[in-house]
Amino acid sequence: IRISNPQYPNDFLNQDPSTTLHMTAQGHLLQGKYFARCTRKLVEDRKAQRPLGNYTVEMLTAVRSGRRITVTFNVPEPPLVFDTSWVAAAHNNGFEIYDISGTRLDIVASMKLAGPDTMIIFCNADIPDGAQIRAGYGIPSDGHGIGRGYNPLVPPGGRTNLRDSAGNDDHYVGSDGVTRYLHNYCIIHYISIQ
């Protein structure tokens, strides 16, 4: 089983105030293109008798050194980029620190990209043993929305602003005249900090 992409970069409809579960026609088209690309890569790997690849941006390791965490990622098409042009800005670019009991710790002071597959998080307090980094979980003020956050009728939900550069070469213009770039956005997941 492989993940083609997270859902939050898609556009969703607001059918009524309590339902935002359906993608727009453009969202479905974008999702279909992500599925097609993933399927093509799986077939290519199988034909070449390679191990099946991992085609998503996701955290592989998170190593603590004092109040600094170095996070390495699987990056299908380097380099990593923080981008708020398609997905609305998320608190801490969508990365939060949680303690072992699952309580969000508001200790992220800043973060930066440090190479094609590495992010460094600087904290303003000590990082407790057993802590995790959660990507795309959102914070309480995000509400329980879904999507990329630019539709005023659909509140944003959990998301990140971290993506690779796949869309630089893989993009199209939708029937609405908008260019959509098929960047691989970081999936919603967590990892323990070592």
Side-chain angles (χ1 to χ4, degrees):
I1 295 175
R2 292 292 184 265
I3 298 172
S4 66
N5 62 295
Q7 294 291 296
Y8 63 83
N10 291 322
D11 287 316
F12 290 81
L13 294 172
N14 185 15
Q15 295 172 306
D16 66 56
S18 65
T19 307
T20 55
L21 300 178
H22 297 282
M23 286 185 271
T24 64
Q26 293 301 326
H28 279 288
L29 180 59
L30 179 61
Q31 185 61 52
K33 289 185 179 289
Y34 275 114
F35 284 159
R37 181 174 66 190
C38 183
T39 301
R40 186 190 75 240
K41 288 182 177 186
L42 288 169
V43 169
E44 289 170 355
D45 284 348
R46 181 71 47 117
K47 282 184 176 180
Q49 298 181 345
R50 294 186 295 254
L52 298 179
N54 180 355
Y55 314 117
T56 59
V57 172
E58 66 180 287
M59 296 180 285
L60 299 174
T61 63
V63 179
R64 171 180 53 179
S65 177
R67 291 183 173 183
R68 181 174 108 168
I69 306 166
T70 302
V71 185
T72 57
F73 290 83
N74 180 71
V75 184
E77 296 290 335
L80 288 171
V81 176
F82 287 128
D83 182 1
T84 58
S85 66
W86 187 255
V87 175
H91 188 261
N92 294 329
N93 288 304
F95 293 87
E96 301 293 338
I97 311 297
Y98 283 75
D99 69 14
I100 198 166
S101 70
T103 301
R104 183 178 153 270
L105 305 174
D106 193 13
I107 62 172
V108 175
S110 65
M111 58 183 53
K112 71 174 186 176
L113 297 176
D117 66 351
T118 305
M119 175 178 72
I120 299 175
I121 299 174
F122 300 94
C123 297
N124 57 22
D126 292 336
I127 304 157
D129 290 339
Q132 299 175 337
I133 300 174
R134 295 186 184 181
Y137 277 58
I139 58 173
S141 63
D142 281 336
H144 297 289
I146 190 168
R148 60 192 189 96
Y150 285 118
N151 180 344
L153 300 176
V154 180
R159 63 199 181 283
T160 78
N161 300 118
L162 186 67
R163 62 164 177 82
D164 73 357
S165 298
N168 294 353
D169 295 321
D170 192 359
H171 52 274
Y172 69 97
V173 178
S175 62
D176 58 358
V178 174
T179 301
R180 288 175 171 77
Y181 298 88
L182 276 82
H183 297 299
N184 294 301
Y185 281 85
C186 184
I187 61 172
I188 297 173
H189 68 297
Y190 67 89
I191 189 170
S192 295
I193 300 169
Q194 307 302 311

